[in-house]
Amino acid sequence: MSLQRTLSILKPDVTRRNLTGKVNAKIEESGLHIVAQKRLFLTKEQAQQFYAVHAERAFFNDLCDSMCAGPIVAQVLEGENAVSHYRDIMGATNPANAAEGTIRRDFAESIEANSVHGSDSLENAQIETAFFFSQLELVG
Ligand code: ADP
Ligand code: MG
């Protein structure tokens, strides 16, 4: 076991439907702690930069547009094995395949508007956290 931090985003489909509290209740009930948090609008350029790894994918442009369609909540979660723990409670990318009780199963609208982002490795968690937060903004 190791104490880790991971980067979480509540996507525009969550803020639009006023579900930030419900999604974060699930996150906190799972034992993860929110140690940094901000609500902001991404520009198209920032969305493209954040998702640059997907630049060649057919859905890239639509994905970046959807991330700019409303405010997002960027947050850092801390807990034991936080990277994989959070991926587990998020559920599969396609909500149709997401397990019972996961965030995407309960809240996602579609494979694109799937409510949450979570880092997929410890290394990417650190890179993605630095995208949104300075060292001073990380509590604890
Ligand atoms: P995850 O968010 O589960 O790590 P990926 O990193 O593969 O998934 O994809 C990033 C995001 O791109 C997804 O969360 C989803 O919003 C979008 N996406 C992935 N695959 C598709 C697809 N086939 N069609 C539309 N959007 C997709
Ligand atoms: Mg991913």
Side-chain angles (χ1 to χ4, degrees), residues 50 54 58 64 68 70 72 76-77 80-81 94 101 120 129 131 134:
F50 184 78
H54 295 304
C64 293
C68 304
I72 61 165
V76 178
L77 309 178
E80 289 295 329
N81 299 315
N94 185 347
D120 61 8
T129 295
F131 187 91
S134 74

Side-chain angles (χ1 to χ4, degrees), residues 77-94:
L77 309 178
E78 184 178 86
E80 289 295 329
N81 299 315
V83 173
S84 63
H85 175 146
Y86 179 49
R87 294 288 307 189
D88 287 347
I89 66 164
M90 283 167 56
T93 307
N94 185 347

Side-chain angles (χ1 to χ4, degrees), residues 9-24:
I9 298 176
L10 309 186
K11 297 186 178 185
D13 69 274
V14 169
T15 58
R16 174 173 46 80
R17 291 178 291 156
N18 212 19
L19 291 172
T20 57
K22 285 199 167 129
V23 174
N24 275 337

Side-chain angles (χ1 to χ4, degrees), residues 10-27 37 39 71 73 75 103-104 106-109 113-116:
L10 309 186
K11 297 186 178 185
D13 69 274
V14 169
T15 58
R16 174 173 46 80
R17 291 178 291 156
N18 212 19
L19 291 172
T20 57
K22 285 199 167 129
V23 174
N24 275 337
K26 242 174 158 44
I27 288 172
Q37 188 180 58
R39 184 176 292 246
V73 177
Q75 50 194 16
I103 294 168
R104 283 168 165 168
D106 287 357
F107 299 114
E109 294 187 306
N114 59 0
S115 299
V116 281

